[in-house]
Amino acid sequence: MGLKFKPLADRVVVEPAAAETKTASGLYIPDSAKEKPQQGKVIAVGKGTKKHDMTVKTGDSVLYGKFSGTELKLDGKDYLIMREDEILGIL
Amino acid sequence: MGLKFKPLADRVVVEPAAAETKTASGLYIPDSAKEKPQQGKVIAVGKGTKKHDMTVKTGDSVLYGKFSGTELKLDGKDYLIMREDEILGIL
Amino acid sequence: MGLKFKPLADRVVVEPAAAETKTASGLYIPDSAKEKPQQGKVIAVGKGTKKHDMTVKTGDSVLYGKFSGTELKLDGKDYLIMREDEILGIL
Amino acid sequence: MGLKFKPLADRVVVEPAAAETKTASGLYIPDSAKEKPQQGKVIAVGKGTKKHDMTVKTGDSVLYGKFSGTELKLDGKDYLIMREDEILGIL
Amino acid sequence: MGLKFKPLADRVVVEPAAAETKTASGLYIPDSAKEKPQQGKVIAVGKGTKKHDMTVKTGDSVLYGKFSGTELKLDGKDYLIMREDEILGIL
Amino acid sequence: MGLKFKPLADRVVVEPAAAETKTASGLYIPDSAKEKPQQGKVIAVGKGTKKHDMTVKTGDSVLYGKFSGTELKLDGKDYLIMREDEILGIL
Amino acid sequence: MGLKFKPLADRVVVEPAAAETKTASGLYIPDSAKEKPQQGKVIAVGKGTKKHDMTVKTGDSVLYGKFSGTELKLDGKDYLIMREDEILGIL
């Protein structure tokens, strides 16, 4: 939460949820559905660009495609960094 | 209906209609026509983007291409999430 | 004519004319000319987009490329749905 | 000339000149130069688009690339329909 | 010079200089350097487009890439027609 | 720091950090994670373009993709030059 | 310097520096580093385009990618002509 990393442009840092979790909103991702969208929590949000205003906020639970983003290790924890347009929606 | 998921940008969540249904408006999709457009009901609509204002509304019955969208499971039910531009029209 | 289907964006629903017809304006499409433009009647017209204002109107007879559009069955009849830019012109 | 066909957008209907003609302006297209630009007369002109204002007028003699346009038969005569940008210039 | 051909849009008609000429400005194109830029004289200039204002004028000596343009025969002489952006500069 | 090189447009010169360093902010890049983002310090920043305003400043610690940028040797030291959009964020 | 050649649009004429030179600013390009950026001096600059304002000036020492530009011989000397965006920066 006190993450000091500031993503550039329209990028978002996401902390992936543990796999196979049945979340509060009832999302369930079975082990066999490897290409299904994944769930995570937004940790840091860029300022956007001239063409793209940001929508998600820090703390939002989001869904994103299985192959979205680039792995990133910060303070010893694993995150993903992706363009906001790779996020499908907010739970 | 009380779905809490908010699609980002120009995305739309659609609940696919059961296959081979003859709908109220008379649409009929035979079993052999696998690439024909599919019918579904709009469940959630994004806010649009600078380039794209949204047209469909929650509750609209829509047609979309057979291979449109990404599968999404929310509260145990199967949905599709797609860009509005993948929707062909409103029934 | 009383078709309730509303095409989205810059799409147009066209009812293809029967093949090999010699039309009122004299268009003749021989059986051997399979890649020649096809004739049809506009049944429904979308609202256009920020980049594209619509030109054709319901009832217009139009020509379009042989491979334009996607097949669509509404109320038991066969139609094509295509982007207006795939229509070559109005007869 | 009394052609009722209205090309859409930035399209132009051209009546190709007979091959191997030496025109009034002296253009000569030898039989062996199959990829050389072709000459024709403009028969109908679209209204243009938001991005493209039309330049050619009905009656203009124009040159266009050998492989430009799509064949079109109207009132029993052969024409070509092409985007104005495929026309190289006016003779 | 009294050429009646009007190139459309951002096109330019160029009369290629004879090969292996050492020009007034000292340009020398050896026979072996087949991919080196070529020299020619501007014969006719289009009006430009919404995105491109024209810079070259009739009579300018220009350099252009070896493979630029399309061959064009007008009044029995060989010319090239090309987009102005294919012209590297003015001698 | 007293580097006289001025990158053009939206380019940034970055001095790569030594590999396998655990930084003040706790970033740790293990030897086996060769495709993980890399860390570096911004040494020089271009003026941006009509489409892209610059965000990073000289002295910023940044992360960038493993294969970003082009190697550059200035005053005997190794740098990378890259488009700002290749920088993932600021530590 | 008294070069009469005017590059069109966003093009720049560069006189490549002799290879393996250690310049005043200390740039050193070893013989083995064939893909490293190259150094040269700006000899002539185009007027730019609607989308691109020019930054470099005649006399600037610049770096550019190994494979940038097209060879050009003017007044018996070898130059390169390239888009300004192919220039990495000013020394």
Side-chain angles (χ1 to χ4, degrees), chain A residues 63 88-91, chain B residues 1-16 40-48 52 54-62 70 72 74-75 78-85 87, chain C residues 8:
Chain A
L63 291 188
L88 299 172
I90 304 170
L91 285 163
Chain B
M1 278 305 178
L3 192 74
K4 297 203 307 199
F5 182 76
K6 289 180 283 177
L8 276 202
D10 55 347
R11 290 183 180 86
V12 174
V13 176
V14 172
E15 181 183 1
K41 181 181 280 183
V42 174
I43 298 297
V45 181
K47 293 184 306 181
H52 185 92
M54 303 305 280
T55 299
V56 301
K57 292 184 195 66
T58 299
D60 282 349
S61 285
V62 295
T70 301
L72 189 70
L74 293 167
D75 296 329
D78 289 314
Y79 298 105
L80 287 170
I81 185 164
M82 61 187 73
R83 307 263 175 195
E84 189 184 71
D85 198 52
I87 294 178
Chain C
L8 276 202

Side-chain angles (χ1 to χ4, degrees), chain D residues 49-68:
Chain D
T49 68
K50 286 181 177 175
K51 286 188 174 171
H52 186 93
D53 295 332
M54 303 305 281
T55 299
V56 301
K57 291 184 197 64
T58 299
D60 282 348
S61 286
V62 294
L63 291 187
Y64 52 90
K66 173 74 180 170
F67 302 109
S68 295

Side-chain angles (χ1 to χ4, degrees), chain A residues 3 5 71-79, chain F residues 17-40 62-63 91:
Chain A
L3 192 73
F5 182 76
E71 292 180 28
L72 190 71
K73 204 183 258 281
L74 293 167
D75 295 329
K77 289 179 74 174
D78 289 313
Y79 298 105
Chain F
E20 283 147 300
T21 303
K22 188 173 164 92
T23 71
S25 71
L27 179 79
Y28 177 71
I29 304 164
D31 192 52
S32 60
K34 291 284 163 57
E35 274 87 41
K36 291 291 178 65
Q38 306 290 307
Q39 188 178 350
V62 294
L63 292 187
L91 285 163

Side-chain angles (χ1 to χ4, degrees), chain C residues 55-67:
Chain C
T55 298
V56 301
K57 292 183 196 65
T58 298
D60 281 348
S61 286
V62 294
L63 292 187
Y64 52 90
K66 173 76 181 169
F67 302 109

